[in-house]
Amino acid sequence: GGGGGAAPVSAPAPGPTGTPAAASFGPAQLASIYNAPGADKGAGQAIATIVEGSLTQVTKDLSTFEINNGLPHIPVSVVPVGARSNDTSNQTEWDLDTQYSTGLAPGASRLILYDAHSLSDTDVLDAINSWVTQDQAKQAGLSGGECESVAKADGVMGATDDALAQAVAQGQTLFVATGDDGAFCQALQSAGLSAAGSEPPSVSYPASSPYAVAVGGTTIVTTGPLTETAWSSSSGGISDYEAEPPYQLPVVGKIGHRAIPDVAFDADPNTGDQVVVNGQTETVAGTSAATQSWVGIWARAQGAHGGSLGFANVSIYAAPPSAFHDIVTGSNGF
């Protein structure tokens, strides 16, 4: 999966002097820390999230979160994809996803939840296809993934790339969590496909798709001024299967294969997000937190440009270095 509450804890790395980072942040604090323009809050933009299971408590928690943070109430519509499920095991993840995608874009017009029957490859693909086919939201978030080799072997990689290529052609962007396993894919080990400590470096799919924006994680060290280091559990690396997309060449150089992540955001549990779960506020983190924040950030950018920006990676890689806060310290273990 992409993260959520299961993110392992790592200590913040020492950094330059400044105001020490808090233990957790709300949406307004994050918007301020990352210099989001106050005038552009996502007006006219629909936000989509790929979710699963029962969403009754999730929508209640979103309302509580909005009240607690002085945010406007965003209209929510649920699009069932396949048979309905009463599963609530991933509720904390969906609380995080809905609250921070909209919390970072408080002017967005509505939230569309594509509710899959399960988190199986085929069911998630069906949900992605629904988002693409309906073409109602320029930006969507997916807080999940699997070892790239598994996605390649079972055929979902090709089918998902086809769906996401259509999204790109329509000017839509799917932001995908890179995962919280560092440079390796722990699922290979748990599935008995590699011995402990011997698994090869691996990236997660669909984060590695050239038609998605892969979002990694940082640790915020200080907020005044902002200094960050790479979060040690943020996944990333070079794809074994996906070719290098043209937009990546000017920044990464010719390496032949897709490199991820594309962008990053606060993801360390030590500097996590304040999320309402079952009516109570707790700290949740992981690359999924970073991913959903980026959905909100992109909605703000699209709102400022009348929804005309198209696929985010084209703009991101073409932007000048001065548009970004570069992360030059830290490691994800390889």
Side-chain angles (χ1 to χ4, degrees):
V9 173
S10 61
T17 57
T19 306
S24 62
F25 300 106
Q29 291 172 294
L30 289 171
S32 175
I33 290 168
Y34 284 96
N35 300 310
D40 300 311
K41 297 182 178 180
Q45 292 299 300
I47 287 172
T49 305
I50 308 298
V51 295
E52 167 271 341
S54 174
L55 302 174
T56 302
Q57 186 61 44
V58 173
T59 54
K60 290 180 181 178
D61 285 341
L62 176 59
S63 294
T64 303
F65 176 81
E66 290 166 340
I67 293 169
N68 291 354
N69 288 278
L71 295 167
H73 176 67
I74 189 167
V76 180
S77 55
V78 178
V79 177
V81 183
R84 298 304 296 268
S85 165
N86 293 320
D87 180 35
T88 58
S89 62
N90 294 297
Q91 180 192 317
T92 300
E93 181 67 70
W94 313 141
D95 280 336
L96 168 68
D97 292 2
T98 56
Q99 291 169 29
Y100 277 79
S101 59
T102 61
L104 266 292
S109 60
R110 62 177 174 140
L111 173 64
I112 308 171
L113 304 179
Y114 289 93
D115 190 9
H117 174 67
S118 76
L119 294 179
S120 71
D121 283 354
T122 53
D123 287 348
V124 171
L125 175 57
D126 285 345
I128 291 173
N129 270 318
S130 291
W131 165 65
V132 176
T133 302
Q134 289 193 356
D135 195 14
Q136 296 295 303
K138 293 291 186 184
Q139 46 277 317
L142 174 60
S143 293
E146 65 184 356
C147 299
E148 194 183 45
S149 56
V150 176
K152 178 67 173 178
D154 68 12
V156 73
M157 179 178 286
T160 304
D161 276 353
D162 287 346
L164 293 179
Q166 179 63 36
V168 168
Q170 295 171 179
Q172 294 176 288
T173 303
L174 182 68
F175 292 84
V176 183
T178 57
D180 302 335
D181 288 332
F184 304 96
C185 192
Q186 304 298 332
L188 292 177
Q189 187 184 121
S190 61
L193 299 176
S194 68
S198 67
E199 65 271 17
S202 177
V203 296
S204 180
Y205 185 85
S208 65
S209 172
Y211 307 109
V213 175
V215 185
T218 69
T219 298
I220 295 178
V221 181
T222 65
T223 57
L226 174 63
T227 59
E228 298 173 277
T229 187
W231 178 45
S232 60
S233 294
S234 174
S235 294
I238 300 172
S239 171
D240 288 325
Y241 307 103
E242 297 281 18
E244 184 171 22
Y247 58 74
Q248 186 182 288
L249 275 166
V251 174
V252 180
K254 190 172 183 179
I255 59 174
H257 288 84
R258 169 90 160 109
I260 63 169
D262 300 302
V263 291
F265 200 86
D266 176 41
D268 190 326
N270 288 293
T271 56
D273 294 353
Q274 297 165 5
V275 178
V276 173
V277 181
N278 289 320
Q280 302 298 314
T281 299
E282 58 184 66
T283 300
V284 186
T287 54
S288 53
T291 298
Q292 301 301 333
S293 294
W294 257 98
V295 172
I297 289 168
W298 189 246
R300 293 175 87 123
Q302 285 280 34
H305 291 269
S308 65
L309 290 177
F311 178 50
N313 267 351
V314 174
S315 296
I316 288 169
Y317 279 89
S322 60
F324 297 93
H325 176 69
D326 215 3
I327 310 301
V328 296
T329 62
S331 166
N332 70 348
F334 190 75

